[in-house]
Amino acid sequence: MSATKLPRIIAAGFFVFWLIVLYGGADHPPPPGFVVVVVFNLCCSLVVYFRVSTYMEWLKTQKEKRGIRVFVDGLAAGVVIAILTMIIPGVGEPGVPVPAILERLIWIMILAIAGAANALIVYGITAFLMKRMTSSG
């Protein structure tokens, strides 16, 4: 595996993993709105593709406080996704009342934590695979 392929491989793995998780949690057959979920997943995978390149650079240069930066990356991504899911029309369960402010804040916090966890896992996988590439090559 080459360093140029690593971002594609990790982003594709991210997409497939989350597609399985999201499909597993969907009604069967998934409702038409599931397409929006797949598009969100695809967009997130594209971001992962670009961030893996950045993480690789940070690992090579031993950038200071990179773990904290990765954590903040993920927090920010989770907050953005949470807000997008609240403002895009047609997203959400039909017939369910609009969530109150506390419910919205909880949603934002949950996705921020999930985003941070995802970013740290992607970073860890990147570091692991880079180490394997350098030790085997």
Side-chain angles (χ1 to χ4, degrees), residues 40 77-88 104 107-108 111:
F40 267 111
V79 168
V80 167
I81 292 167
I83 291 170
L84 285 174
T85 62
M86 290 188 295
I87 63 172
I88 292 177
R104 289 175 183 260
W107 176 246
I108 292 169
L111 288 193

Side-chain angles (χ1 to χ4, degrees), residues 58-71:
W58 290 356
L59 286 159
K60 286 179 199 169
T61 61
Q62 296 294 298
K63 184 161 185 80
E64 217 174 285
K65 298 181 181 176
R66 61 190 174 276
I68 293 169
R69 290 171 186 253
V70 170
F71 181 80

Side-chain angles (χ1 to χ4, degrees), residues 29-37:
F34 189 72
V35 171
V36 175
V37 173

Side-chain angles (χ1 to χ4, degrees), residues 1-17:
M1 169 180 13
S2 70
T4 56
K5 290 182 181 176
L6 193 59
R8 278 184 281 171
I9 292 167
I10 292 174
F14 178 93
F15 178 79
V16 169
F17 172 79

